[in-house]
Amino acid sequence: MKIGFVSDSLGSFSLEAVLDQAVALGVSGVEVNTGGWSHAPHLDLAQLRQSPAARREFTQAFERRGLEIIALNVNGNPLHPVDHRQSHDLHETIRLAGDLGITKICTMSGLPEGREGDLLPNWVVSSWPPEGQVAKEWQFRERLVPYWEKICAMAPDHGVTQFALELHGGQWAYNVPNFLRLREALGSIIGANLDPSHMFWMGADPLAAIDALGNAICHVHAKDAGFNEAKRSVTSNLENGPLGLPSNRAWSYLTLGYGHDPLWWRQFCYRLRMVGYDGWLSIEHEDPLLDPVEGLSKSVALLREIAPVAIGGFTQQEI
């Protein structure tokens, strides 16, 4: 496994400063945000699409430092019923991936409206009342599958072989069963980006999710989460207040090791190896209390200590 981080973790830094920090931290690569919910401070999507010279300058900045571009990340809601910019960013990111020779894109499944004519996405998280199930099936049949069939059809023309969909709250494929249903409909070009922090706050077990997803896992975001029990006891995990300080919330994203101890993260990495995953551990720092450089440094140190590096193991001698 190789260690890197998501560029938005250092959103106030210039690209050159982000890459210099990656070298200082001793990681192997950086995952670059291109749009969607991100302002993409390290990449001008339109400029790179238009200018071969700008693309050369961009890739050479990585090459000079011996760093890899892990993937392009366009996390957003490409199925938003009225904000079509997010879908546009996904299409342009696919085209840019072809320009840069990058084969993997991290994104979301998207969440459409609940019926024709609605203006807002509709996240169905309850089995009752029954109209929620009607909306969920309509979303899958009328929006998810038709949209992603077109995306998957255009991807090979640009050399994209993998979409790493993050199982994230507020998306149609937010949990393992919904993701696997979508993958079954579209094929193995649809893979899972497993971020355990989202599993934690939604009440799932990331280790069980690894077993259930198996070889569908094609990317990992390394991010922790922790709970404020005094708040959670009255709001539940389904808190929908604004993100902010952990003292004001039921749950928060935390630096690795601050929500779950190193033993848990050892088990996480080992379980990934058990299902055959030997890819990137891409740290996504969103801790509201720790300085980003400090948070990344602590996260890198933890992963460097526990993450498997070489493939292979003990072989029993024949007697």
Side-chain angles (χ1 to χ4, degrees):
M1 297 180 185
K2 292 190 288 188
I3 300 170
F5 64 83
V6 180
S7 64
D8 267 6
S9 300
L10 298 175
S12 64
F13 287 41
S14 68
L15 175 64
E16 295 286 331
V18 168
L19 300 184
D20 287 342
Q21 191 62 59
V23 172
L25 290 168
V27 301
S28 300
V30 175
E31 177 181 333
V32 185
N33 297 91
T34 66
W37 294 319
S38 170
H39 295 300
H42 308 114
L43 178 152
D44 187 324
L45 187 55
Q47 181 190 41
L48 290 189
R49 283 284 297 124
Q50 296 168 5
S51 171
R55 293 196 295 272
R56 284 194 301 272
E57 182 179 352
F58 180 77
T59 56
Q60 287 170 0
F62 287 79
E63 292 167 357
R64 286 195 303 270
R65 296 169 173 86
L67 295 169
E68 297 180 54
I69 302 174
I70 297 173
L72 298 182
N73 182 315
V74 61
N75 279 346
N77 182 3
L79 286 168
H80 196 289
V82 295
D83 183 4
H84 302 303
R85 174 188 55 84
Q86 297 186 63
S87 178
H88 173 267
D89 285 352
L90 174 57
H91 282 79
E92 285 298 281
T93 297
I94 293 169
R95 297 182 180 103
L96 178 61
D99 296 333
L100 297 175
I102 295 170
T103 60
K104 182 167 64 177
I105 290 175
C106 297
T107 187
M108 303 281 180
S109 66
L111 183 70
E113 68 274 38
R115 65 176 183 178
E116 192 76 48
D118 288 353
L119 301 181
L120 289 174
N122 189 333
W123 187 28
V124 179
V125 293
S126 175
S127 300
W128 188 264
E131 58 262 28
Q133 298 303 307
V134 175
K136 176 184 172 183
E137 293 305 310
W138 181 89
Q139 289 172 323
F140 182 76
R141 182 181 67 253
E142 301 296 330
R143 293 291 187 264
L144 267 292
V145 172
Y147 181 87
W148 278 102
E149 282 180 338
K150 293 177 182 177
I151 291 292
C152 292
M154 75 173 283
D157 293 337
H158 301 280
V160 173
T161 60
Q162 194 77 77
F163 290 101
L165 302 189
E166 190 168 346
L167 279 64
H168 191 296
Q171 299 295 296
W172 195 90
Y174 71 95
N175 63 9
V176 171
N178 279 17
F179 166 80
L180 290 176
R181 184 180 177 190
L182 187 61
R183 176 177 163 93
E184 182 179 6
L186 299 167
S188 60
I189 191 173
I190 299 297
N193 175 10
L194 182 61
D195 182 331
S197 70
H198 304 304
M199 301 278 108
F200 289 140
W201 75 255
M202 289 190 289
D205 181 349
L207 303 183
I210 291 172
D211 294 343
L213 290 167
N215 63 8
I217 300 171
C218 67
H219 198 71
V220 169
H221 274 173
K223 188 169 66 184
D224 210 340
F227 296 95
N228 178 346
E229 293 299 340
K231 295 291 184 181
R232 180 161 71 155
S233 63
V234 293
T235 66
S236 83
N237 285 9
L238 295 178
E239 177 179 2
N240 60 3
L243 293 172
L245 294 177
S247 57
N248 298 327
R249 291 184 48 78
W251 60 267
S252 298
Y253 298 127
L254 303 178
T255 298
L256 268 61
Y258 279 67
H260 295 78
D261 64 21
L263 174 59
W264 188 91
W265 284 98
R266 287 183 189 276
Q267 295 171 336
F268 179 71
C269 291
Y270 204 82
R271 194 72 67 92
L272 285 169
R273 176 60 64 84
M274 286 172 64
V275 299
Y277 183 79
D278 195 48
W280 287 92
L281 302 173
S282 187
I283 300 163
E284 189 174 31
H285 178 85
E286 295 181 357
D287 190 319
L289 292 181
L290 264 67
D291 172 82
V293 173
E294 179 185 4
L296 283 175
S297 179
K298 292 180 183 298
S299 296
V300 169
L302 187 150
L303 291 181
R304 184 173 289 121
E305 172 66 23
I306 66 173
V309 177
I311 297 176
F314 175 78
T315 302
Q316 184 68 52
Q317 297 181 22
E318 292 187 13
I319 298 177

